[in-house]
Amino acid sequence: MKMNFMKMKAVKILLFVGTILACSFASAYAAVNMEPINAFFNRGVSFVLNGELWQPKDQAGKPIAAIYYKGSNYLPARALAEALKIPIDYDATSQKIYIGGKPAEKTPIFAMPMEIDNIYAILSKDPAETLVNGKQFKQVLKIDQYGDVNITLNRKYKRLVLNAAVISPGEHEVEFSLYNAVDIAGNTASTILEKHSVSPEDNEKQLIFHVEGLEKIKIHVQSPNLNPYIYARILDTSYFDNGD
């Protein structure tokens, strides 16, 4: 019983010391990097964004007021970036806020949330199907007639770098068309934003689509002459990024 009491006491001491250290580090960080100011919430100011009244909100959807300090009104960077459809990321390790996305960050296409036409477009890891023009890949999206893939971006990226190929016995050029797939796109959902093509002679071709400001996109894959047998592949080397 005495041993258990001693163990519990030791645990409490360690927790207490850990709490003190954590508070010390936080206090040290605040002392070096944070400076107190006298500011006010300005609840009288309103905002007009692109001609319409706009209410800034926090991540929980609650309205937030501007902070008035030394003659200027301030808002959180995230609220402004999201309203202006600019990607924003926070790196806690480096204490950096990236407005416009992290420059060198690449996200593989198949790591993204996506909806695939599973009748004519199928994700495959079968080695027989991921062997594309003599080169072995780990995963491909195979489209043997025509297909759509919808990908959710949440405005985090500027480019889609799409690596694609036409394999044997494909004899026809294949078009890859970019659409805005967000629910509120309305009539613009049927408008092609960009179109690129891949021919059987290309072996493997890199297509660059500009997706800045888009929340959700659709890539439609089809032969321009509507031939149903296209044998197209989207390769796992495709990715999203924010440019060079």
Side-chain angles (χ1 to χ4, degrees):
M1 188 74 179
K2 187 175 181 180
M3 288 296 293
N4 288 337
F5 173 76
M6 292 301 292
K7 287 180 181 178
M8 289 178 63
K9 188 174 181 180
V11 170
K12 288 180 179 178
I13 290 172
L14 287 172
L15 288 173
F16 178 67
V17 171
T19 303
I20 291 175
L21 289 173
C23 291
S24 298
F25 286 132
S27 299
Y29 176 84
V32 174
N33 297 287
M34 296 186 179
E35 179 182 349
I37 61 171
N38 291 317
F40 302 90
F41 285 115
N42 188 354
R43 305 190 190 281
V45 69
S46 59
F47 299 90
V48 177
L49 178 65
N50 296 327
E52 296 184 3
L53 195 64
W54 172 64
Q55 172 61 64
K57 296 180 181 179
D58 63 17
Q59 287 182 285
K62 295 180 180 179
I64 54 178
I67 293 175
Y68 182 81
Y69 176 65
K70 288 188 176 181
S72 298
N73 289 290
Y74 296 86
L75 283 173
R78 183 170 296 279
L80 280 173
E82 291 184 351
L84 297 172
K85 299 187 183 300
I86 299 172
I88 183 166
D89 285 289
Y90 173 62
D91 188 330
T93 303
S94 64
Q95 295 287 306
K96 287 182 180 178
I97 297 173
Y98 291 89
I99 300 173
K102 296 181 180 179
E105 188 175 58
K106 294 180 180 179
T107 302
I109 188 170
F110 298 139
M112 298 289 293
M114 60 172 58
E115 305 158 29
I116 300 169
D117 181 339
N118 59 7
I119 298 175
Y120 300 113
I122 301 171
L123 275 174
S124 176
K125 293 183 179 180
D126 184 338
E129 295 178 331
T130 57
L131 182 64
V132 177
N133 297 336
K135 185 176 178 181
Q136 189 71 60
F137 295 86
K138 293 182 179 179
Q139 188 174 22
V140 299
L141 178 63
K142 59 190 293 283
I143 307 112
D144 288 342
Q145 292 193 35
Y146 63 87
D148 293 328
V149 54
N150 294 326
I151 307 173
T152 301
L153 309 183
N154 291 323
R155 304 190 303 270
K156 288 186 177 180
Y157 304 96
K158 293 180 180 178
R159 302 192 311 172
L160 165 58
V161 179
L162 189 72
N163 295 317
V166 176
I167 67 166
S168 180
E171 299 176 353
H172 305 278
E173 184 180 75
V174 177
E175 290 180 341
F176 293 76
S177 303
L178 171 70
Y179 295 84
N180 182 359
V182 72
D183 292 339
I184 60 173
N187 292 334
T188 62
S190 60
T191 302
I192 297 175
L193 303 180
E194 281 187 65
K195 183 191 293 184
H196 300 284
S197 62
V198 180
S199 70
E201 295 77 27
D202 287 327
N203 189 38
E204 179 184 336
K205 189 174 180 180
Q206 188 170 89
L207 316 174
I208 297 179
F209 294 92
H210 298 89
V211 297
E212 185 173 5
L214 297 176
E215 294 184 10
K216 189 175 183 180
I217 62 170
K218 179 177 77 173
I219 300 294
H220 177 70
V221 185
Q222 188 168 340
S223 167
N225 58 10
L226 303 182
N227 189 294
Y229 302 109
I230 60 174
Y231 303 100
R233 300 291 184 266
I234 293 176
L235 310 174
D236 59 11
T237 51
S238 306
Y239 58 88
F240 289 90
D241 71 2
N242 286 292
D244 299 328

